[in-house]
Amino acid sequence: MDSSVLDVFRPGVGPSSSHTMGPMVAARLFARRLDEEGLLPRTATVFVRLYGSLALTGHGHCTDRAVLLGLEGHDPATIDPAAMEPTIARVRATSRIRLLGRHEIAFDEPMNLLFLRDQRLPGHSNGMRFAAVDEGGAVLIEEEMYSIGGGAVQRAGEEHAVAPAVALPYPLEDAAALLRSCREHGLELHELALANECAQRPQAEVERLLDERWRIMQACVERGFAASGLLPGVLKVKRRAPKLHRVLESEAAAGRKDPMEWVNAWALAVNEENAAGGRVVTAPTNGAAGIVPAVLHYYARFCDGADAAGVRRFLLTSGMIGLLYKRNASISGAEMGCQGEVGVACSMAAAGLAAALNGTNEQVENAAEIGMEHNLGLTCDPIAGLVQIPCIERNAMGAVKAINAAKLALRGDGSHKVSLDQVIATMRQTGHDMATIYKETSQGGLAVNVPEC
Ligand code: SF4
């Protein structure tokens, strides 16, 4: 089970953490296992089968490309986005793939990579099966994995592993337990989160990595502002962030400022970069990757007293809230609908902003609760299976909502009727009750009511 806020904020590439990053990680894990077990030289080809939501929206979410890159040994955290296209073009032109970049085998994509749209594996809607066979057609190994959201991958049989690899000083059970620990030990929530991080790596390393995540988010915004043209895919969606940024800059030069319009611009920039396959940080997923950076930019630019320590308080707190959702519900759109992506990101960002602005623990928990309460039931229905409509704009809406949730919480005294734990449980139950057509399948909602072009 993930236990670090750095597992919530993973650097990677777009457009989807569950459908792009996860499958790339899984394919690479499978190729590495072949290598570790000495089977690489005997492997003549591999078969990859995709099930459930991965099969239904995989083409729009670039799952096919991700599998090829993963088998070639690429990792979403380190791959150069500019190097992806040449690799994919080579594999497709030659019908051959280089496992881990060194063992070349036959790979005829239509035969070897199958999208089984009418089948679902029992463990998770985002299921994958990998098989390696030798020259004689004998199966060397087979493996089943699931992409469980946020770029994380689970091997079949590991579904019920809940204990983290390292014993944490403050176990991540639920929000009530964390608040209790804070009261007992005189800690702020971000201090408790830091203590848990320091059980996993030295404090200097924790701070370096948090600062690095923030820099990647900022670089993503800058690229989104500098880009132009249409996003990939049949929808021919035009990037909006560059023009909005230019307008806001000229208005700022004239002395006008509208923080909420800036929040829109920051969120659009990140999610347009994500849709284009660029480098982003999951927060907690790629589809919802714009909300935390947009609210962090709002903090850094518009909040008095903002500083680097406040950015760390933000990331530690929001990341820990994300871990609670991962543990007690899910951040997978294929399981929870969009409430598990944009809803969770909104809740995380609201808590992060409240912490950065020195809210009390109770106010921070209240902010997280408000951020989710008004996203309950949010469905996932991406048009044409692309992470573009409604996803990009939805991040702008989620970021504005997160700021308002933090403001509401900070104007109160922290007491409230609905607890964060209750709202997380409600999200989980709502996700289980939600019809499958609204859970990252593009079989309902906007996806069936809006023509694709
Ligand atoms: S609608 Fe929400 S959950 Fe679905 S792909 Fe878009 S951002 Fe992700």
Side-chain angles (χ1 to χ4, degrees):
M1 190 191 77
D2 287 342
S3 54
S4 167
V5 300
L6 297 162
D7 297 326
V8 177
F9 300 118
R10 291 179 208 262
V13 288
S16 169
S17 44
S18 58
H19 289 53
T20 315
M21 286 172 56
M24 196 186 301
V25 168
R28 181 168 179 264
L29 278 174
F30 182 70
R32 283 168 60 102
R33 183 177 163 198
L34 284 172
D35 189 29
E36 286 158 12
E37 297 189 14
L39 296 170
L40 210 51
R42 290 173 55 200
T43 301
T45 194
V46 295
F47 290 94
V48 184
R49 293 177 178 83
L50 305 174
Y51 298 84
S53 170
L54 278 186
L56 287 162
T57 56
H59 284 298
H61 286 42
C62 299
T63 308
D64 43 355
R65 295 159 60 89
V67 167
L68 303 185
L69 292 165
L71 290 173
E72 286 253 339
H74 291 291
D75 186 295
T78 53
I79 191 170
D80 173 7
M84 298 192 310
E85 194 52 48
T87 304
I88 292 160
R90 168 175 49 78
V91 172
R92 288 180 171 164
T94 60
S95 294
R96 299 188 70 77
I97 198 164
R98 296 176 194 153
L99 294 179
L100 298 180
R102 54 193 154 90
H103 178 64
E104 188 169 303
I105 58 169
F107 192 87
D108 181 16
E109 194 175 336
M111 299 296 291
N112 290 71
L113 175 54
L114 303 176
F115 287 71
L116 303 173
R117 294 164 60 89
D118 57 347
Q119 295 180 43
R120 187 188 190 281
L121 295 180
H124 195 285
S125 180
N126 293 332
M128 296 163 273
R129 280 194 180 135
F130 296 86
V133 300
D134 67 12
E135 279 296 345
V139 175
L140 297 170
I141 49 170
E142 281 182 297
E143 184 151 28
E144 185 172 307
M145 291 188 241
Y146 313 118
S147 178
I148 59 171
V153 167
Q154 202 168 53
R155 290 187 146 110
E158 292 178 346
E159 298 94 301
H160 306 297
V162 291
V166 176
L168 301 177
Y170 304 105
L172 293 159
E173 288 166 15
D174 54 27
L178 295 180
L179 288 172
R180 214 166 33 244
S181 293
C182 284
R183 278 194 296 274
E184 283 169 11
H185 300 278
L187 293 172
E188 304 285 337
L189 278 165
H190 65 90
E191 293 172 326
L192 182 150
L194 181 62
N196 276 351
E197 293 302 312
C198 291
Q200 302 172 71
R201 45 179 67 83
Q203 182 166 343
E205 181 73 352
V206 173
E207 291 173 352
R208 185 187 71 75
L209 290 169
L210 288 174
D211 295 348
E212 181 190 81
R213 300 299 200 263
W214 172 221
R215 275 197 301 277
I216 300 173
M217 291 177 186
Q218 290 171 295
C220 182
V221 165
E222 284 162 22
R223 280 196 312 279
F225 284 161
S228 60
L230 303 180
L231 295 171
V234 294
L235 297 178
K236 302 196 183 335
V237 170
K238 192 172 177 201
R239 287 181 184 254
R240 282 186 283 176
K243 183 176 174 196
L244 180 55
H245 177 237
R246 284 195 299 277
V247 170
L248 294 178
E249 283 286 28
S250 65
E251 288 181 0
R256 289 203 305 278
K257 64 170 186 183
D258 182 338
M260 287 307 139
E261 288 226 65
W262 277 98
V263 171
N264 287 339
W266 291 317
L268 294 179
V270 171
N271 286 86
E272 286 169 359
E273 273 301 283
N274 178 61
R279 177 155 305 289
V280 299
V281 178
T282 62
T285 65
N286 278 28
I291 294 172
V292 163
V295 179
L296 255 175
H297 276 83
Y298 167 84
Y299 166 73
R301 180 154 177 165
F302 291 114
C303 294
D304 291 340
D307 58 12
V311 171
R312 289 178 191 157
R313 283 199 300 281
F314 189 122
L315 290 173
L316 285 165
T317 307
S318 59
M320 187 165 64
I321 298 297
L323 288 171
L324 286 181
Y325 281 98
K326 278 187 159 194
R327 187 186 194 286
N328 294 326
S330 165
I331 59 163
S332 165
E335 284 192 307
M336 294 288 123
C338 201
Q339 56 171 1
E341 294 204 20
V342 162
V344 172
C346 180
S347 177
M348 288 168 52
L353 182 60
L357 295 176
N358 296 306
T360 65
N361 291 335
E362 289 72 21
Q363 288 171 324
V364 169
E365 187 248 0
N366 191 13
E369 181 277 314
I370 297 170
M372 172 52 72
E373 186 179 324
H374 307 288
N375 281 296
L376 287 172
L378 193 64
T379 60
C380 169
D381 51 0
I383 300 174
L386 296 166
V387 192
Q388 296 180 8
I389 305 173
C391 320
I392 296 171
E393 207 170 78
R394 188 166 285 174
N395 275 258
M397 303 303 291
V400 169
K401 197 182 280 190
I403 292 168
N404 204 29
K407 284 177 185 276
L408 281 168
L410 290 170
R411 288 288 183 183
D413 64 3
S415 60
H416 49 287
K417 297 283 185 198
V418 181
S419 72
L420 177 57
D421 291 326
Q422 288 168 329
V423 89
I424 292 175
T426 306
M427 185 198 87
R428 185 184 67 243
Q429 290 156 16
T430 306
H432 288 161
D433 293 341
M434 193 182 281
T436 304
I437 58 170
Y438 298 116
K439 294 194 277 191
E440 213 159 358
T441 58
S442 289
Q443 292 179 321
L446 288 174
V448 298
N449 285 297
V450 179
E452 292 182 5
C453 53

